[in-house]
Amino acid sequence: MKKLAIGIDIGGINTAFGLVDDEGTVYAEYVVSTKKYPRFDDYQPYVEELCGAIKTMLGTVSFDFELTGIGIGAPNANYHTGTIEHPANLWKFTEANAGCDESLRVFHLAADIGRRFPGVEVLMTNDANAATIGEMVYGNARGMKDFVMVTLGTGLGSGFVANGEMIYGHDGFAGEFGHVVVRPGGRKCGCGRRGCLEAYVSATGIKRTAFELMAEMTEPSELRGIAYDDFDSAMVSAAADKGDPVALEAFRVTGEMLGKALADMVVITSPEAVFLFGGLAKAGDKIFEPTKRYMEQNMLSVFKNKVRILPSGIEGKNAAILGAAALIWQHRRA
Amino acid sequence: MKKLAIGIDIGGINTAFGLVDDEGTVYAEYVVSTKKYPRFDDYQPYVEELCGAIKTMLGTVSFDFELTGIGIGAPNANYHTGTIEHPANLWKFTEANAGCDESLRVFHLAADIGRRFPGVEVLMTNDANAATIGEMVYGNARGMKDFVMVTLGTGLGSGFVANGEMIYGHDGFAGEFGHVVVRPGGRKCGCGRRGCLEAYVSATGIKRTAFELMAEMTEPSELRGIAYDDFDSAMVSAAADKGDPVALEAFRVTGEMLGKALADMVVITSPEAVFLFGGLAKAGDKIFEPTKRYMEQNMLSVFKNKVRILPSGIEGKNAAILGAAALIWQHRRA
């Protein structure tokens, strides 16, 4: 009988999920709103709707199959405990809970879903780790034992694989490469500290860099006509394609920051390859070329010309669902 | 029958080796000179003498035992290939080899020893990784799945364990935490680059810091009476114990550099503990206190108060031999 896994990708706006086999074919795909359930008290109704929708989806499949497991990628997810801990943008306290202890905002999602699907294994990790496992199971990291995935979205996420296994770390939260401090005392980061890599290397980071460069440089630029609040990182990419000097410099600076940070990371885990995934990675050579160049320039000699910087092989709209489902296939192999 | 392993520690001056059981008891211990064989052409005679001495040692044991394997800790050792690659201080080219390709300086030591002990497994890794495995098998990391070992000697070595396994990396050289660049454009490092952690945090690093501080500070200090060439890091420790202001500041600065670098490393592998080993670690609270304090001050909030900084449990004269022998026990467990 065909074996299928469910992959669930929980974002701040939507929760997308699908039924996937071990080769990456998606047999059904659904979406429920996450945004509809913003408050702390909305968590249980959210779980109800999600599990109801999963059961509806399972009912639409016209052939016999075995459900091998449910994999979930979610922000602040802890692999060891199956919990989502203190998420910044999910199930927040409002006036009604004012004064409640933040320690209550630990959501046992894996167990809560598992209870509604008896006998089905439920595994959860953060979205970047899920993408990493997706790359290992379905993408360009197939067969690799030691690699790193860098996801360049609004922030910078990452996943580290060593000896063929995800590094979850002792507490289940390993792989926060975006929060390596690359410029002490530098830009304010969403984490409350200053100078983190993701404040420079991410969609938001390159936007901030473009604004810094507009102040620093005197060359004309089409970016100078756009207000900060109307600006997004795709505009930097479009301008760079037309030779815009500020946009080109923004990519060079971003690649320099990432390349140097990768050179420092390589000495720790010595990966075979680093995969770049997400919006900023779609800029192609504009980001890959300076990243490679500055990584090699700053590399400890023993690692020079050994580490490849490669595009993700699962880039596309199903990547997050595939990644979450891959948690199940990877776990069954191990 | 008693099972024993041989642990070999290759240093620039001496090669120490011993016969060890899986509980860390050393039944015999020998030393041969490494320094006596400095040149490229000395490698084969060195191997001959070493293997001869090992056979002599084995002959002295008065009870029956099974030799389970030979573990080696050596500079620039590659675990995957069993080779020592381009060591800075071993088997160097001299005038006689002038013009020879440096690629010849790859020494297949594991195979060369294995040939002389048919049927015996020979494993090799660098000295810091061997110490790490020693900590895992015999020391304070017993039972830990995710930890980091930092060895503070002339330089700064390190070993990373995740999911209960050493991270050797794709090329076999992972774990070079001493070569994370913590101060871009900073002090010259032995690796040819600038600003590496080991140029600040090591016996040599704290000595360099003390000299920088003697220039910067105006307070009297007993260290001001000692020339650079006569100075060693133990003098900083002795002076600090007497309240010397320059020496105390040198430890604070060293702990600050290490603590901040650890905060950046923790986000990647999320270890349960970081062990400090070697000369500088023997300074105790003088180095542990500022290291902990600055690590916590600079830590991403999710990791705060989770990571312990602990002393090594194998510190002492046999640590290097135990670590090398532990390679064998660890491999047989896996």
Side-chain angles (χ1 to χ4, degrees):
Chain A
M1 196 166 16
K2 190 97 188 151
K3 288 177 201 284
L4 299 176
I6 292 171
I8 304 177
D9 172 52
I10 302 180
I13 310 292
N14 283 318
T15 297
F17 55 97
L19 199 57
V20 188
D21 68 15
D22 63 355
E23 291 179 335
T25 306
V26 179
Y27 293 87
E29 206 182 334
Y30 270 62
V31 171
V32 299
S33 171
T34 319
K35 206 179 176 182
K36 208 174 112 188
Y37 299 98
R39 295 168 307 136
F40 181 70
D41 298 331
D42 291 333
Y43 169 71
Q44 287 299 345
Y46 165 80
V47 175
E48 284 302 336
E49 183 180 344
L50 174 59
C51 290
I54 291 172
K55 284 176 179 164
T56 302
M57 176 181 74
L58 293 175
T60 65
V61 182
S62 58
F63 55 88
D64 280 350
F65 66 93
E66 181 192 333
L67 182 60
T68 54
I70 299 175
I72 308 168
N76 297 53
N78 185 325
Y79 178 80
H80 297 317
T81 58
T83 52
I84 297 180
E85 304 185 13
H86 317 294
N89 299 311
L90 301 173
W91 314 309
K92 285 184 280 193
F93 284 147
T94 54
E95 302 75 46
N97 322 87
C100 282
D101 191 326
E102 175 66 20
S103 67
L104 294 173
R105 293 211 314 120
V106 171
F107 303 94
H108 294 259
L109 187 63
D112 291 335
I113 290 180
R115 207 172 300 122
R116 286 152 174 105
F117 296 90
V120 176
E121 180 173 51
V122 184
L123 295 173
M124 184 161 70
T125 190
N126 74 44
D127 27 12
N129 284 348
T132 306
I133 296 174
E135 199 67 46
M136 183 158 47
V137 170
Y138 300 122
N140 289 339
R142 273 176 288 187
M144 290 188 184
K145 295 278 181 202
D146 301 275
F147 72 95
V148 177
M149 180 95 165
V150 174
T151 64
L152 300 164
T154 310
L156 186 156
S158 67
F160 289 75
V161 172
N163 297 310
E165 283 187 72
M166 269 304 304
I167 302 182
Y168 292 109
H170 182 60
D171 72 344
F173 291 114
E176 290 290 350
F177 184 51
H179 295 287
V180 166
V181 175
V182 292
R183 193 142 307 173
R187 291 182 189 164
K188 223 31 210 297
C189 177
C191 74
R193 303 181 309 158
R194 284 185 177 275
C196 292
L197 183 63
E198 82 167 18
Y200 299 87
V201 180
S202 62
T204 320
I206 198 170
K207 171 178 165 174
R208 293 167 83 170
T209 299
F211 275 75
E212 210 171 83
L213 290 171
M214 283 192 259
E216 192 183 304
M217 296 169 68
T218 54
E219 286 84 346
S221 165
E222 64 176 65
L223 301 176
R224 295 187 189 276
I226 310 158
Y228 193 91
D229 283 346
D230 300 330
F231 198 101
D232 78 51
S233 62
M235 295 169 182
V236 187
S237 189
D241 286 338
K242 290 181 262 172
D244 187 284
V246 169
L248 288 170
E249 178 64 4
F251 272 106
R252 188 197 65 75
V253 169
T254 305
E256 179 177 2
M257 302 290 281
L258 179 55
K260 286 181 176 174
L262 290 177
D264 276 342
M265 177 277 286
V266 161
V267 299
I268 295 179
T269 66
S270 177
E272 174 174 0
V274 176
F275 294 93
L276 302 186
F277 175 90
L280 205 52
K282 287 184 202 136
D285 255 7
K286 296 195 291 292
I287 186 73
F288 279 79
E289 186 281 322
T291 301
K292 280 181 200 176
R293 178 157 47 97
Y294 286 101
M295 181 181 80
E296 290 299 341
Q297 271 179 24
N298 289 279
M299 196 80 109
L300 186 65
S301 65
V302 66
F303 298 112
K304 270 190 199 292
N305 302 310
K306 283 184 179 174
V307 182
R308 291 181 289 164
I309 310 279
L310 298 172
S312 165
I314 57 164
E315 191 80 69
K317 74 184 175 79
N318 283 324
I321 290 175
L322 289 181
L327 264 173
I328 301 299
W329 307 121
Q330 176 63 15
H331 184 70
R332 293 173 71 94
R333 279 186 205 165
Chain B
M1 197 166 19
K2 191 98 188 149
K3 288 178 200 287
L4 300 176
I6 292 170
I8 305 177
D9 172 53
I10 301 180
I13 310 292
N14 284 316
T15 297
F17 55 96
L19 199 58
V20 188
D21 68 15
D22 63 357
E23 292 180 334
T25 306
V26 180
Y27 292 86
E29 205 181 333
Y30 269 64
V31 172
V32 298
S33 170
T34 320
K35 205 179 175 181
K36 205 175 115 189
Y37 300 98
R39 297 167 306 134
F40 181 71
D41 298 330
D42 290 333
Y43 169 72
Q44 287 300 345
Y46 164 80
V47 176
E48 283 302 335
E49 182 179 345
L50 174 59
C51 291
I54 291 172
K55 284 176 179 166
T56 302
M57 176 182 73
L58 292 175
T60 65
V61 181
S62 58
F63 54 89
D64 280 350
F65 66 95
E66 181 192 331
L67 183 59
T68 55
I70 300 174
I72 308 168
N76 298 53
N78 186 325
Y79 179 79
H80 297 318
T81 57
T83 52
I84 296 179
E85 305 184 11
H86 317 295
N89 299 311
L90 301 173
W91 313 310
K92 285 183 278 194
F93 283 148
T94 53
E95 302 76 47
N97 321 88
C100 282
D101 191 327
E102 174 67 20
S103 67
L104 293 173
R105 291 213 314 120
V106 171
F107 303 94
H108 294 258
L109 186 63
D112 291 335
I113 290 180
R115 205 171 300 123
R116 287 156 174 101
F117 297 90
V120 176
E121 181 174 50
V122 184
L123 295 173
M124 184 162 70
T125 191
N126 73 44
D127 27 11
N129 284 348
T132 306
I133 296 174
E135 199 67 46
M136 184 159 46
V137 171
Y138 299 121
N140 289 340
R142 273 175 289 186
M144 290 189 184
K145 296 277 182 202
D146 302 275
F147 72 95
V148 177
M149 180 95 166
V150 175
T151 64
L152 300 164
T154 311
L156 187 157
S158 67
F160 288 75
V161 172
N163 297 309
E165 283 186 73
M166 267 307 303
I167 302 183
Y168 292 109
H170 181 61
D171 72 343
F173 291 114
E176 289 289 352
F177 184 51
H179 294 286
V180 166
V181 175
V182 292
R183 194 141 305 173
R187 290 182 190 164
K188 226 28 211 303
C189 178
C191 74
R193 303 181 310 159
R194 283 186 179 275
C196 293
L197 183 63
E198 82 166 19
Y200 299 86
V201 181
S202 62
T204 320
I206 197 169
K207 170 178 167 174
R208 292 168 82 171
T209 299
F211 275 75
E212 212 171 83
L213 290 171
M214 283 192 261
E216 192 183 304
M217 296 170 68
T218 54
E219 285 83 347
S221 165
E222 66 175 67
L223 301 176
R224 295 187 189 275
I226 310 158
Y228 194 92
D229 284 345
D230 300 330
F231 198 102
D232 78 53
S233 62
M235 295 169 182
V236 187
S237 189
D241 286 338
K242 289 181 261 172
D244 186 284
V246 170
L248 288 170
E249 178 65 3
F251 273 105
R252 189 198 64 74
V253 168
T254 305
E256 179 178 3
M257 302 291 281
L258 178 55
K260 287 181 176 175
L262 289 177
D264 276 342
M265 176 277 286
V266 162
V267 301
I268 294 180
T269 65
S270 177
E272 174 175 359
V274 176
F275 293 93
L276 303 185
F277 175 91
L280 205 51
K282 287 186 203 135
D285 255 7
K286 295 195 292 291
I287 186 74
F288 279 78
E289 186 281 322
T291 300
K292 281 182 198 174
R293 178 157 45 97
Y294 286 101
M295 180 181 81
E296 290 300 341
Q297 271 179 24
N298 290 279
M299 196 81 109
L300 185 65
S301 65
V302 66
F303 298 112
K304 270 192 200 291
N305 302 310
K306 284 184 179 173
V307 182
R308 290 182 290 164
I309 310 278
L310 298 173
S312 165
I314 57 164
E315 192 81 70
K317 73 182 175 77
N318 283 323
I321 290 174
L322 289 181
L327 265 173
I328 300 300
W329 306 121
Q330 175 63 14
H331 184 70
R332 293 173 73 93
R333 279 188 207 164

